[in-house]
Amino acid sequence: MPAHEDTDPLRRERAHLAASRAALRAMRADVEALDISDVTANWVNAAVLEHQIGERIKALADHAHTPLFFGRLDYLHAPGAELAEGGEGEPPAGGGEEDQRCYIGRRHVHDADGDPMVVDWRAPVSQPFYRASKKAPMAVALRRRFGYTGGDLTAYEDEHLSDPAEAEKGTASKLLQAEIERPRVGPMRDIVATIQPEQDEIVRAGLAGTVCVQGAPGTGKTAVGLHRVAYLLYAHRERLARTGTLVIGPNRSFLHYIEQVLPALGELEVRQATVGDLVGRVELRGEDTAAAARIKGDARMADVLRRAVRSGVTMPTEPCVVVRGSRRWRIPAYELEELVRELQARDIRYEAARAALPQRIAHAVLVRMEAAGEAPDDRVQDAVARNPAVKAAVKAMWPPVDPAKLVLRLLSDPDFLAEQAEGLLTAEEQKEILWQKPVLGSPMPKARGVRAAKWSAADAVLIDEAADLVERTPSLGHVVLDEAQDLSPMQYRAVGRRCSTGSATVLGDLAQGTTPWATGSWPEALAHLGKPDARIEELTAGFRVPREIIAYASRLLPAIAPGLAEASSVRESPGSLEIRQVAPGDLDAAVLAACGEALAREGSVGLIAADARIPALTEALGGAGIAHLAPGEETSAAVRLTLVPASLAKGLEYDYVVVDEPAAVVDAEPDERTGLRRLYVALTRAVSGLWVIHGAPLPRQLAG
């Protein structure tokens, strides 16, 4: 070390942090100073460029309470090749100590000469920060982790990976553990500083293939999926900028909870939606029975709809006569039928075939014109295709299809449904999904129009399927599907259409499936998604949920997912689990007392209860003067308690959780297995402490 260099490592790192922040401000100032007044050809290009510059300025914002870098790698040799491969700035020119050092952060920062001061965590040179170990150091001499309080760098911790004397030591990182266990208030945060090797392998998987992650509670599967999006946008930005990316979550509360993760990683353009948003072609005003929803979500409905879409195609009985000037050109019915059957055999989209049919008829006319000695060109063929006689023939043989009207007819006309579902649905199944159940000897009520119909969520998926049979749904470059275990086969198909030419990251936990149609296996689900060759990865090591809590919740696994491996946890937290039985009349008071204990500690608090119990608990909290939020509302230092219906708890996370009356959570579901899965979800939302308060006996599966 040069004699003039600061010998206090912490002060030196703080100086680098200050210099890096100054460099980031300079990078942003350079973008803000750009003059685009004379560089575009028209106002449209100017508007596009101005928007791009605005987004770049946003991406270069320096958030005071977000660490600009969280780690450092000291290589045994200068990693010039890796930096060049990463595409962020030029590799170091020299070979000194500074050139063998990389600071790892959420974004790339370079100095005035273009030399990197902070390297993006997604760059290849950053990978050893997550993968290197004392057994496989990956040419890393030292890995340094940094601890922050707010935005101030307050600590560091070193691992000498290439030192033989250190190779046998297995000390865990205290800073890493502190970051994992840090109390959380507000939306979900990124885990970029704490990604584990098995998670990093999934994050950095290539764009071409689909990855399915089976993840037990607390294994970070949602965070892994979001960081995978950020990585793919870094590695394949140009391609994904053209094709687009999408994150699909189970509900709006969940999407609100995760919405800040990608912006914190510098990605501002990723769309988020629910499956309902994707298929939202009609207003939803109705609800299905569990049996009807299960049938409508069955993959057999795709075949029913395929038949229904093509049911209007009829074979001609009359010729098509085209009049041009003084000549009449006659295409006989048998030839028209050949054209129709040829298009049917090709099995292309309905509207594509319908658009091709007039051109086929026009071509048949042109063949006759040429045989008669005429020399028609393409303009003549187009004119013939638009001829009223041809249009009329096409409409009669291949009529237009409105997807919503088609599904309306299917669900309201028993004869039409019976014809299309023959051999696919039983008579009882057909009766179950009809809106108006037929009564023997009574005429069917007249069907309502599309706008007046009381569409259900399952109906909207059917309409989306029909729409895709009519016209192809545009495909995105990459889709992340979270809480995938709850989707029906038809919902999987709806998502699969959005990535038919792209790839997907599928995230879920079979043990947390709480819908009547929850998937039984990932190969089955992936087949419906259209990705049967997807790679399936399993995350079983939990990092957030304490070992005591996950072990307690795992007592339910033999009943809810007997083939699933029991989750483990790297965190041991004695006293994190407390089970209290009280007299039924004292339940509300005991729940309020547990909430008070949780609020006396630092962090967010979730009170999870059966949906039917929410009104009573709302009143009890109000009477006690305890302010609370609904799921999706952002917690703050002032209001840290969220009252969560059990049906909305999936995917959410709180430092402390109070579960109210487990038996009521189970009994609220249509069957015991679904109820136990709902309870499993509720029990695994806590990352620091869990209170289980019950007046009724606990489910027998929890006894032990």
Side-chain angles (χ1 to χ4, degrees):
M1 181 181 296
H4 65 274
E5 189 170 310
D6 192 335
T7 57
D8 182 345
L10 191 57
R11 187 159 51 228
R12 179 181 174 184
E13 301 295 11
R14 286 170 176 164
H16 186 78
L17 176 61
S20 299
R21 289 197 182 280
L24 180 60
R25 289 194 297 272
M27 289 171 62
R28 182 169 181 170
D30 288 344
V31 178
E32 291 173 330
L34 289 174
D35 183 1
I36 63 170
S37 57
D38 297 321
V39 298
T40 55
N42 52 57
W43 70 269
V44 175
N45 290 344
V48 171
L49 185 56
E50 186 175 349
H51 173 74
Q52 291 174 340
I53 290 174
E55 292 301 304
R56 179 62 175 161
I57 291 171
K58 284 185 195 176
L60 290 172
D62 183 9
H63 303 288
H65 295 289
T66 301
L68 192 56
F69 56 79
F70 46 81
R72 190 184 105 186
L73 293 176
D74 289 7
Y75 280 89
L76 295 173
H77 55 78
E82 295 92 334
L83 273 175
E85 183 184 352
E88 292 283 357
E90 295 295 323
E97 179 183 316
E98 295 294 338
D99 297 333
Q100 297 170 209
R101 179 177 300 161
C102 294
Y103 286 84
I104 314 300
R106 288 170 172 78
R107 69 187 73 223
H108 168 78
V109 180
H110 59 252
D111 62 18
D113 296 324
D115 293 329
M117 300 187 70
V118 180
V119 177
D120 194 301
W121 67 275
R122 298 167 287 188
V125 73
S126 302
Q127 183 173 317
F129 183 78
Y130 303 106
R131 302 274 189 95
S133 67
K134 292 173 181 176
K135 292 184 178 179
M138 300 176 71
V140 174
L142 178 142
R143 174 168 54 202
R144 175 169 288 179
R145 300 181 189 275
F146 297 105
Y148 288 83
T149 301
D152 297 327
L153 199 163
T154 55
Y156 71 91
E157 183 180 76
D158 288 344
E159 294 175 88
H160 297 275
L161 300 182
S162 297
D163 185 348
E166 299 284 328
E168 300 302 321
K169 295 182 180 179
T171 55
S173 167
K174 294 181 179 179
L175 286 180
L176 181 63
Q177 184 176 350
E179 173 62 22
I180 290 173
E181 297 179 0
R182 182 158 56 103
R184 300 193 171 193
V185 175
M188 180 180 179
R189 296 195 305 263
D190 65 70
I191 61 166
V192 66
T194 61
I195 294 173
Q196 300 299 297
E198 62 270 30
Q199 296 173 327
D200 190 63
E201 288 184 16
I202 297 170
V203 167
R204 296 177 192 264
L207 177 61
T210 289
V211 179
C212 175
V213 182
Q214 159 63 41
T219 55
K221 58 183 178 295
T222 296
V224 165
L226 296 175
H227 287 67
R228 176 159 160 71
V229 170
Y231 171 76
L232 292 175
L233 285 168
Y234 173 87
H236 307 278
R237 187 168 301 281
E238 186 176 338
R239 177 177 172 183
L240 290 177
R242 294 194 309 268
T243 56
T245 53
L246 173 67
V247 174
I248 302 174
N251 52 58
R252 281 281 147 205
S253 297
F254 177 83
L255 292 178
H256 181 75
Y257 176 61
I258 68 170
E259 67 184 357
Q260 294 303 318
V261 173
L262 287 169
L265 298 173
E267 302 301 340
L268 307 173
E269 298 296 327
V270 179
R271 182 184 164 208
Q272 296 182 348
T274 65
V275 173
D277 295 331
L278 299 183
V279 301
R281 300 170 185 266
V282 292
E283 182 182 354
L284 304 186
R285 299 189 299 157
E287 290 188 12
D288 286 312
T289 63
R294 189 182 295 109
I295 297 166
K296 289 179 181 180
D298 193 288
R300 292 174 295 165
M301 288 301 300
D303 293 323
V304 174
L305 288 165
R306 180 176 293 276
R307 289 181 184 176
V309 166
R310 299 272 174 156
S311 65
V313 176
T314 57
M315 297 305 159
T317 57
E318 300 291 335
C320 176
V321 180
V322 177
V323 178
R324 282 186 60 81
S326 60
R327 301 294 299 270
R328 293 163 60 87
W329 307 98
R330 182 177 183 274
I331 309 299
Y334 76 85
E335 191 169 340
L336 294 173
E337 181 176 342
E338 288 176 359
L339 296 176
V340 171
R341 292 196 184 281
E342 179 192 352
L343 288 171
Q344 284 182 317
R346 289 185 60 192
D347 196 30
I348 59 178
R349 292 298 195 281
Y350 185 89
E351 194 58 34
R354 188 171 183 273
L357 184 55
Q359 290 291 333
R360 300 295 178 88
I361 297 173
H363 178 72
V365 171
L366 261 65
V367 170
R368 285 164 170 76
M369 288 182 175
E370 291 171 347
E374 297 188 17
D377 57 17
D378 290 344
R379 290 176 297 176
V380 174
Q381 180 168 330
D382 290 340
V384 172
R386 296 193 300 269
N387 185 278
V390 174
K391 287 184 176 181
V394 170
K395 185 175 182 180
M397 294 183 291
W398 208 288
V401 170
D402 180 295
K405 289 181 179 178
L406 180 79
V407 175
L408 176 67
R409 182 184 176 194
L410 200 64
L411 298 177
S412 57
D413 184 339
D415 294 333
F416 183 62
L417 176 61
E419 182 181 354
Q420 309 312 319
E422 183 179 0
L424 295 171
L425 302 180
T426 67
E428 284 302 312
E429 288 175 323
Q430 294 174 35
K431 182 178 178 181
E432 185 63 45
I433 65 174
L434 279 168
W435 284 347
Q436 302 285 345
K437 307 298 186 259
V439 179
L440 190 63
S442 301
M444 284 294 296
K446 185 177 180 180
R448 298 179 178 181
V450 170
R451 290 182 179 274
K454 291 187 176 181
W455 299 105
S456 69
D459 297 334
V461 179
L462 297 182
I463 294 172
D464 190 72
E465 179 83 25
D468 184 69
L469 290 168
V470 174
E471 291 188 90
R472 183 182 298 276
T473 303
S475 175
L476 297 165
H478 193 77
V479 169
V480 174
L481 175 61
D482 205 351
E483 301 297 344
Q485 73 280 343
D486 276 335
L487 268 61
S488 70
M490 292 298 286
Q491 287 174 318
Y492 278 117
R493 290 176 62 88
V495 174
R497 287 191 282 278
R498 271 75 185 180
C499 57
S500 58
T501 59
S503 57
T505 301
V506 181
L507 312 166
D509 180 8
L510 297 178
Q512 296 185 56
T514 52
T515 57
W517 48 83
T519 189
S521 73
W522 290 122
E524 176 188 346
L526 292 166
H528 293 310
L529 190 70
K531 307 292 184 184
D533 298 327
R535 184 176 115 212
I536 301 176
E537 299 283 351
E538 187 169 5
L539 296 177
T540 58
F543 301 98
R544 292 286 290 167
V545 183
R547 188 177 305 167
E548 293 78 6
I549 295 175
I550 199 68
Y552 181 70
S554 293
R555 295 179 184 179
L556 300 174
L557 284 178
I560 62 177
L564 213 58
E566 184 173 329
S568 60
S569 178
V570 300
R571 291 183 58 204
E572 188 172 357
S573 181
S576 58
L577 173 65
E578 188 163 344
I579 302 166
R580 297 178 183 172
Q581 182 171 13
V582 299
D586 297 333
L587 183 62
D588 288 356
V591 167
L592 293 180
C595 289
E597 292 177 41
L599 288 169
R601 307 179 187 185
E602 183 183 2
S604 58
V605 180
L607 170 54
I608 304 177
D611 292 30
R613 283 273 296 155
I614 296 300
L617 290 173
T618 299
E619 184 176 349
L621 289 169
I626 301 176
H628 67 278
L629 304 167
E633 296 179 332
E634 189 170 326
T635 56
S636 64
V639 184
R640 295 185 288 117
L641 174 66
T642 303
L643 178 56
V644 186
S647 61
L648 296 181
K650 196 168 298 177
L652 303 180
E653 183 181 84
Y654 302 93
D655 288 294
Y656 300 97
V657 168
V658 178
V659 174
D660 167 88
E661 197 62 279
V665 174
V666 176
D667 293 343
E669 301 299 328
D671 58 81
E672 183 184 56
R673 187 181 189 188
T674 303
L676 291 173
R677 285 182 168 182
R678 186 77 73 187
L679 179 58
Y680 181 77
V681 172
L683 293 173
T684 53
R685 299 306 93 198
V687 297
S688 292
L690 172 67
W691 287 262
V692 178
I693 313 298
H694 67 104
L698 290 171
R700 66 185 185 283
Q701 292 83 357
L702 285 178

